[in-house]
Amino acid sequence: MKKPTKQKKKTAQARDNNTVRIAVFCINPSLFNRESFFIANIPSWTSQWKAVAEKHPELDIYIISTLPGLFLYDGQEKEDYGANLHVKIIEEASPAKAAEVIEAISPDIALPASSWTFSLDWMPLNDSLTADILRKKGIRTVSNTKDFSLACFDKHRTHILLEKLGFRTPDYIYVNHELYKADLKKCDASVNVYREYILSKISEMTFPVIIKPVTGLSSQGLRVVKSLEEARSFLDSRRNGSDRIIEEYMEGIQAGLEIHGGYGSYQLFPPMIFSVTNFGITSPRQSIKAGPLSSSKYRLDNLYSEMTRLAESLNFMGCIQVDLVFTGEEWYIIEINSRLSGMTSAYAAAFGTTVPEMLLRDSGIPMNKEADSRNTLMDAKLDLKPYGKMKPVISIKFPVKDSRTFKNVKELLYGGEKKAAAQDRDEVKKHISGITCFYDEEAEQEREKGYCEIILTARKKTEELVTVIKELESLSGNFSDHIFLREAENLLALL
């Protein structure tokens, strides 16, 4: 990467006294090969950020990111971003280096736009470490602490935290891999007492149970087992190579929501309902999310009360995503992620905004800077404005066969060589809020290769989406199956 010239450095530091400089960053600590990945968005992240910059000339926005820069960057390094939007792509992902780059631009506020990474979901922790360095340097940040991000990354710690705070969670057992297989190594034990203890505890659980890695992303590495024998078979096998969490499987409505804010001010988004596979779990490549969940049978007042208590108890800053199950007339927390989620773009569409606008709103940036002192900004409480009413929305995610899938979908829905009947296409197009394609041709497992997501919003009523999905069925032969889309209709009926 070329070092900036002195002239460019001087320009980067100069600004009007009434301008608020904001650094939005995401530092991916996982390896990323740009030659094997295909990522595309409609509308592009560049166009969304340029629109925000044009709308807010009082802001001087810096995007600092490693690749791939989800929610921030499309790969156009030579793009003309405008006078008050700047993009810096860095190669080194260490928190110290990222903080050095961010500090050099002298931001008034810095906030992460953390997303997910395969297969360890640890970008939020890396961004929290970066923010911690910035905070110690006197730069105001709207970021979760490193301790909280670690508690979300490590699902055993998540359980401990939620239990301590008195929230409902599934019954679980933590399995230490080293102890469980201690007798297979040089050990003077004739009986592995720890293994006997774990198996005894599992035998007391209600089956089926879910065995999942302590760290990881989505449902990767997760398996549902129906008996003690099946659980033992897996734990004893070579497939088990790390610490595990064993949870009782909770049959019910799988859902999730996001909470945004910080410094004591929080906004709860209405929950969305999730589709599940034949095994009763969500899939990272083929899934449906729909919302808002509004039926009184879901006891939403109780949910919102508990989620408000959760936000205030955690005292987090930024965004968290909460996975939930509604069963037996009660809501249970499955896990928490301290980052933007697979629902974020759908939420933005449903509220009639964009993810960049959400990030700026949630940062509590004073759009007309009242003070030059960083200390004043550091002590300021977030001033979150209500998002308004959430429109009906559905996110349909299906597996990507290859990098051509995005082109096929784009041509079918927006016209081209494979364009569909104009009337059907135009009806669907009016409700499309976004399309995303993520494909990794070097992924070892088929389930990790990627997905294509289509986000549809209704103007007023959920029934509009049912009609649009029926139209989409007639167009989808090249990229999705009709049975899957009918499942989307069934999900909408549960709202």
Side-chain angles (χ1 to χ4, degrees), residues 296-340:
S296 59
K297 66 182 179 182
Y298 297 117
R299 302 186 66 186
L300 294 175
D301 287 344
N302 288 7
L303 173 64
Y304 290 139
S305 176
E306 282 292 89
M307 291 299 100
T308 299
R309 185 170 74 87
L310 177 68
E312 293 174 348
S313 299
L314 297 176
N315 195 29
F316 72 91
M317 289 183 286
C319 168
I320 63 171
Q321 183 251 336
V322 187
D323 283 338
L324 303 156
V325 172
F326 182 71
T327 182
E329 302 298 311
E330 300 290 353
W331 285 98
Y332 290 77
I333 299 177
I334 303 300
E335 63 181 52
I336 304 172
N337 295 303
S338 58
R339 55 166 169 75
L340 302 175

Side-chain angles (χ1 to χ4, degrees), residues 86-223:
H86 322 272
V87 175
K88 291 179 176 288
I89 301 301
I90 60 177
E91 295 182 2
E92 186 178 333
S94 71
K97 180 60 179 179
E100 178 186 325
V101 173
I102 295 169
E103 184 188 15
I105 67 173
S106 301
D108 297 301
I109 303 172
L111 70 150
S114 305
S115 58
W116 53 91
T117 54
F118 296 99
S119 58
L120 291 172
D121 193 13
W122 56 6
M123 187 191 297
L125 179 56
N126 199 49
D127 286 342
S128 291
L129 289 167
T130 301
D132 184 61
I133 297 172
L134 295 173
R135 204 175 287 121
K136 290 175 181 177
K137 294 179 178 292
I139 298 174
R140 185 193 188 209
T141 65
V142 182
S143 168
N144 291 311
T145 66
K146 57 188 177 185
D147 291 334
F148 176 65
S149 288
L150 179 63
C152 294
F153 171 65
D154 182 330
K155 304 312 177 187
H156 182 212
R157 292 173 183 262
T158 307
H159 268 286
I160 293 173
L161 176 62
L162 292 173
E163 285 184 348
K164 181 180 178 181
L165 296 174
F167 291 97
R168 293 187 185 88
T169 61
D171 289 339
Y172 84 103
I173 300 168
Y174 164 69
V175 182
N176 182 290
H177 179 258
E178 288 295 320
L179 288 175
Y180 188 86
K181 295 193 173 183
D183 58 319
L184 301 180
K185 301 180 180 180
K186 293 182 178 180
C187 179
D188 59 354
S190 60
V191 175
N192 186 329
V193 179
Y194 182 79
R195 181 190 292 129
E196 295 301 318
Y197 168 79
I198 292 297
L199 294 174
S200 175
K201 294 292 290 185
I202 296 174
S203 70
E204 297 170 358
M205 300 179 78
T206 301
F207 287 88
V209 298
I210 293 176
I211 303 178
K212 63 183 183 182
V214 172
T215 60
L217 174 69
S218 189
S219 58
Q220 290 188 7
L222 184 152
R223 61 187 60 243

Side-chain angles (χ1 to χ4, degrees), residues 268-484:
L268 278 64
F269 289 176
M272 294 190 195
I273 191 172
F274 301 164
S275 65
V276 295
T277 66
N278 294 333
F279 299 102
I281 59 177
T282 58
S283 167
R285 295 186 65 224
Q286 181 162 306
S287 65
I288 303 166
K289 298 179 178 70
L293 201 61
S294 58
S295 174
S296 59
K297 66 182 179 182
Y298 297 117
R299 302 186 66 186
L300 294 175
D301 287 344
N302 288 7
L303 173 64
Y304 290 139
S305 176
E306 282 292 89
M307 291 299 100
T308 299
R309 185 170 74 87
L310 177 68
E312 293 174 348
S313 299
L314 297 176
N315 195 29
F316 72 91
M317 289 183 286
C319 168
I320 63 171
Q321 183 251 336
V322 187
D323 283 338
L324 303 156
V325 172
F326 182 71
T327 182
E329 302 298 311
E330 300 290 353
W331 285 98
Y332 290 77
I333 299 177
I334 303 300
E335 63 181 52
I336 304 172
N337 295 303
S338 58
R339 55 166 169 75
L340 302 175
S341 75
M343 296 185 289
T344 304
S345 293
Y347 272 127
F351 284 117
T353 186
T354 64
V355 175
E357 282 279 9
M358 289 174 68
L359 288 166
L360 296 186
R361 181 197 298 256
D362 296 346
S363 72
I365 296 173
M367 293 306 181
N368 293 308
K369 189 176 177 183
E370 297 178 356
D372 295 328
S373 170
R374 284 186 181 178
N375 290 329
T376 301
L377 288 171
M378 283 286 288
D379 297 334
K381 185 177 180 180
L382 287 180
D383 182 19
L384 298 182
K385 299 178 181 178
Y387 275 85
K389 187 176 180 180
M390 179 178 170
K391 295 184 294 185
V393 64
I394 188 165
S395 161
I396 301 173
K397 187 185 293 184
F398 50 89
V400 171
K401 298 176 182 178
D402 53 47
S403 60
R404 293 171 295 180
T405 301
F406 179 76
K407 181 180 179 181
N408 292 340
V409 172
K410 182 178 179 181
E411 288 184 340
L412 277 165
L413 300 179
Y414 289 90
E417 296 177 1
K418 299 181 179 179
K419 62 183 179 182
Q423 184 175 355
D424 290 344
R425 185 184 70 244
D426 291 345
E427 183 61 31
V428 173
K429 184 178 176 181
K430 285 189 293 186
H431 294 272
I432 295 176
S433 295
I435 300 176
T436 297
C437 186
F438 184 96
Y439 176 73
D440 178 12
E441 64 181 17
E442 292 186 354
E444 294 181 0
Q445 298 184 25
E446 193 66 27
R447 61 179 296 163
E448 296 178 354
K449 285 191 178 297
Y451 60 84
C452 188
E453 178 186 27
I454 299 176
I455 297 175
L456 304 169
T457 52
R459 295 182 182 86
K460 294 182 178 179
K461 298 182 179 181
T462 303
E463 289 75 15
E464 297 173 40
L465 295 178
V466 176
T467 302
V468 174
I469 288 171
K470 289 183 182 296
E471 299 287 353
L472 189 61
E473 283 188 42
S474 66
L475 310 178
S476 65
N478 287 343
F479 58 85
S480 186
D481 60 75
H482 292 185
I483 295 176
F484 179 58

Side-chain angles (χ1 to χ4, degrees), residues 16 74 91 113 120 182 225 245 248 259 267 330 375-376 403:
D16 188 284
D74 295 293
E91 295 182 2
L120 291 172
V225 300
I245 292 287
E248 289 192 357
I259 310 175
Q267 294 201 1
E330 300 290 353
N375 290 329
T376 301
S403 60

